Amino acid sequence: MQAEVKRDLARVARPDVAVGIDLGIKTLAVMADSTGEIREVPNPRYLDAALKGLCRVSRTVSRRRGPDRRTGQQPSRRWKKANKVRNKVQHRIATSEKMPCTS
């Protein structure tokens, strides 16, 4: 579900100061203003944490008895339940990040 929120523009404390912003991978942003002050915003690494969770859930699915096309084996209920959880985690990763998942 999405919602649109209207917000008022915040007034700048020092309008005469220019700020340069560099976006990166190791640090999310490095900001430098005209007074020479440099601030770094660390990268929160949400994707790394989500991929770690995906590995854990995938291991759980692989321990369950899944479907087998050769023998006609039906998946167990525990496999279906674990697979549903894995699909939710994969969907959350795919929709939150714009970069392709490489692992």
Side-chain angles (χ1 to χ4, degrees), residues 58-70:
S58 293
R59 276 196 310 271
T60 304
V61 173
S62 68
R63 291 188 191 115
R64 309 291 187 246
R65 180 156 314 256
D68 190 357
R69 291 182 184 169
R70 291 176 293 138

Side-chain angles (χ1 to χ4, degrees), residues 1 10 24 34 39 86 90:
M1 181 163 74
S34 59
R39 286 180 278 164
R86 179 178 60 179
Q90 285 178 334

Side-chain angles (χ1 to χ4, degrees), residues 46-57 82-99 101:
Y46 294 122
L47 181 61
D48 293 342
L51 289 176
K52 190 174 183 181
L54 180 63
C55 287
R56 181 181 53 81
V57 175
N83 194 40
K84 186 184 281 188
V85 172
R86 179 178 60 179
N87 289 342
K88 283 183 182 180
V89 172
Q90 285 178 334
H91 178 70
R92 197 176 314 129
I93 291 171
T95 56
S96 66
E97 294 293 326
K98 302 298 181 201
M99 297 185 324
C101 180

